[in-house]
Amino acid sequence: MTNSDDNIYRPYSPVSRLGGCTCGQHASVAEHDAAALAATEARATDVETLSRDFIEAAAVKALFPLEATRRAFLSAVGQRTAMAAIASVLPLSSLQAMAQDKGSLEKTDLKIGFIPITCATPLIMAHPLGFYQQQGLNVELSKTAGWALVRDKMLNNEYDASHFLSPMPLSISLGLGSSAKPMQVATIQNVNGQAITLALKHKNNRDPKHWKGFKFAIPFEFSMHNFLLRYYLAEAGLNPDTDVQLRVVPPAEMVANLRAGNIDGFLGPDPFNQRAVYEEVGFIHLLTKEIWDGHPCCAFGTSAEFVQKNPNTFAALYRAVLTAAAMARGPKNRELIAGVISKPQYLNQPEVVVKQVLTGRFADGLGNVQNVPSRADFDPMPWDSMAVWMLTQMQRWGYLKGDVNYRQIAEKVFLMTDARKHMKELGQPAPAAVSPKFKVMGKEFDAAKADAYLKSFAIRKAV
């Protein structure tokens, strides 16, 4: 266990918020950000220390998913007593040792797929910044044209690991839209970071109730983009299967289709929302954080087979991507990262476009400059409740049929919960399964009541 004052996530502070918010110890947000950046950069040079910090903070967050409860507990008993109590029920040292295991690598030459979008920021930046090399890995990043191709290359073992849309490991594991192959999510790559972008001709038609007949692009059926757009439209009283047309379009082709008039808009990944503004062919109607603030989008993962055959290599990959995610979370790092990942071999985008996305200071195409620092973020925790919500939406729209054990599927695919299974196998006490609640368009989602949640929607295909 780390010293409570050293851990960059400050999980034992009653005035901090796990997730990078203000810690309560600085006179201003700017002073806080500067101090947090300095601490993160110092600890990020030591991959083992950074990984230990993350594991410890994740475990504490699992025990106290509600911030108010954690703060009240810590205020009542004090940090030292809290640390001793938590250590008595959580084998943090064992967890950290599992994450830090540096046995000899089974495989050092790896091919990792990615789609050139800002959602893949941690995975991409780990390459030019040397985080893979630090772990003894020789990684070839393979730019891929679309998500169906990513799926096929993972199914055919052409990629060792890949950037995924976060619902994809679930759908592939279940054999939805493809042959079934167990996949696992190591980390969430990004949260938020998407938008609904409309053609300029719709500037005066901002009410979705009036969008009947619209044609929208989404990057893939098994995507948060599809599920969030469907949710948004249904809340406005539109049936996304009958009142509008949803077309699967690769992200890189969305702006061109908007310009050509083939679509009225898209719910897609950045930087293409911002690129539409930059090209003066569209405007940002809303950021997806307005639908669900903190929603996951993309993930980093691999097959269950790869993890089983290459546990040390997988651990090294985990450490590299985790280090990149921690750096990407620092607001002061965003401009530097934008410059690194904009290059032709990665995103191949104007740096100013990527910078607007990552910093959250951007032109919206309506004549305004907005400042939304949380437009995109990089929280790597793959909570099982996220997976359960995705499964309810797959069932809501008819992709998944029959009785579904949401929790069982989530725990097999999302490795935050899979860690508990391994701890039990080792005879170690494990924390109870935790599914943080969240709100989507003001409606609370409780993974323990997923069936009732699904049945509460008036517009749906399934019961």
Side-chain angles (χ1 to χ4, degrees):
M1 186 182 297
T2 61
N3 181 299
S4 63
D5 294 325
D6 290 339
N7 188 309
I8 64 170
Y9 301 99
R10 303 186 68 244
Y12 304 105
S13 170
V15 293
S16 70
R17 253 185 60 177
L18 297 186
C21 295
T22 183
C23 69
Q25 291 191 345
H26 301 97
S28 67
V29 173
E31 183 181 336
H32 165 81
D33 288 346
L37 176 60
T40 300
E41 287 179 336
R43 292 180 76 80
T45 59
D46 182 345
V47 176
E48 292 187 7
T49 300
L50 184 61
S51 185
R52 281 197 301 271
D53 283 0
F54 175 79
I55 292 294
E56 186 172 18
V60 174
K61 189 168 184 178
L63 278 179
F64 300 100
L66 298 179
E67 286 294 329
T69 303
R70 183 180 64 86
R71 293 181 189 179
F73 172 72
L74 291 167
S75 295
V77 304
Q79 291 187 24
R80 290 184 181 277
T81 302
M83 290 177 70
I86 291 170
S88 71
V89 296
L90 283 178
L92 290 171
S93 297
S94 298
L95 262 177
Q96 290 165 344
M98 288 169 64
Q100 301 295 339
D101 183 13
K102 285 195 171 182
S104 59
L105 301 181
E106 301 86 2
K107 188 174 185 179
T108 55
D109 293 336
L110 301 177
K111 191 169 186 178
I112 298 177
F114 78 99
I115 301 287
I117 54 179
T118 52
C119 302
T121 292
L123 186 155
I124 295 171
M125 62 183 274
H127 188 258
L129 296 180
F131 295 151
Y132 295 124
Q133 189 176 12
Q134 269 185 330
Q135 297 300 317
L137 300 172
N138 178 32
V139 167
E140 176 190 346
L141 287 186
S142 182
K143 190 183 293 188
T144 315
W147 293 109
L149 190 56
V150 165
R151 176 198 62 204
D152 294 345
K153 286 182 177 291
M154 284 299 297
L155 287 172
N156 296 330
N157 295 321
E158 294 178 51
Y159 289 162
D160 295 293
S162 186
H163 169 204
F164 284 114
L165 294 161
S166 53
M168 283 177 64
L170 294 166
S171 65
I172 297 171
S173 296
L174 293 168
L176 304 179
S178 68
S179 57
K181 183 173 184 176
M183 295 285 164
Q184 295 188 318
V185 171
T187 68
I188 295 299
Q189 280 285 285
N190 70 303
V191 298
N192 299 335
Q194 327 300 309
I196 295 177
T197 296
L198 297 178
L200 292 177
K201 64 183 179 181
H202 296 305
K203 278 188 176 182
N204 296 318
N205 187 9
R206 302 288 302 282
D207 188 341
K209 292 177 182 177
H210 302 145
W211 291 356
K212 194 169 184 177
F214 271 31
K215 301 178 181 70
F216 286 102
I218 53 173
F220 198 60
E221 285 190 305
F222 297 104
S223 68
M224 288 297 294
H225 311 83
N226 183 22
F227 300 147
L228 290 174
L229 180 58
R230 285 173 172 273
Y231 197 108
Y232 182 74
L233 293 170
E235 288 297 294
L238 298 181
N239 187 320
D241 288 312
T242 58
D243 292 332
V244 301
Q245 292 184 37
L246 301 183
R247 300 177 176 180
V248 173
V249 176
E253 298 175 18
M254 288 181 170
V255 175
N257 274 272
L258 195 67
R259 180 187 293 108
N262 298 330
I263 55 175
D264 294 283
F266 59 85
L267 197 159
D270 275 312
F272 297 105
N273 301 289
Q274 202 59 49
R275 185 64 187 262
V277 174
Y278 180 80
E279 298 284 350
E280 298 183 347
V281 298
F283 66 94
I284 295 174
H285 169 67
L286 63 72
L287 302 176
T288 50
K289 73 181 294 292
E290 298 175 49
I291 300 175
W292 170 4
D293 193 5
H295 72 80
C297 182
C298 289
F300 174 64
T302 185
S303 66
E305 179 186 15
F306 182 89
V307 177
Q308 292 161 6
K309 289 183 176 179
N310 307 282
N312 296 330
T313 297
F314 178 72
L317 264 177
Y318 165 81
R319 288 191 294 268
V321 176
L322 184 60
T323 303
M327 181 177 177
R329 296 216 74 189
K332 300 296 185 181
N333 296 332
R334 299 291 179 85
E335 290 195 19
L336 167 67
I337 293 169
V340 169
I341 67 174
S342 298
K343 300 185 183 306
Q345 65 269 42
Y346 303 121
L347 298 188
N348 192 28
Q349 292 286 336
E351 185 176 335
V352 64
V353 171
V354 180
K355 188 179 296 183
Q356 287 185 74
V357 172
L358 294 186
T359 64
R361 183 172 175 79
F362 61 95
D364 62 8
L366 294 168
N368 309 306
V369 175
Q370 297 198 33
N371 188 25
V372 186
S374 58
R375 173 175 176 169
D377 206 353
F378 303 96
D379 186 343
M381 295 184 182
W383 295 109
D384 63 340
S385 55
M386 294 175 174
V388 172
W389 186 87
M390 295 172 205
L391 291 167
T392 66
Q393 299 309 295
M394 290 182 194
Q395 196 163 33
R396 178 184 182 182
W397 303 115
Y399 297 107
L400 182 59
K401 303 180 186 300
D403 294 331
V404 180
N405 189 327
Y406 301 116
R407 177 60 61 78
Q408 183 181 68
I409 296 168
E411 291 187 356
K412 284 183 178 179
V413 179
F414 276 45
L415 289 185
M416 180 67 80
T417 51
D418 196 58
R420 288 192 290 268
K421 179 188 72 174
H422 290 302
M423 289 163 61
K424 291 178 181 178
E425 290 172 351
L426 293 169
Q428 301 170 345
V434 172
S435 296
K437 299 176 185 178
F438 46 79
K439 290 185 177 181
V440 183
M441 293 189 72
K443 184 173 183 175
E444 184 175 78
F445 176 72
D446 181 348
K449 302 175 182 177
D451 288 320
Y453 180 81
L454 174 62
K455 293 174 183 177
S456 71
F457 295 109
I459 299 177
R460 65 180 190 269
K461 277 189 175 180
V463 177

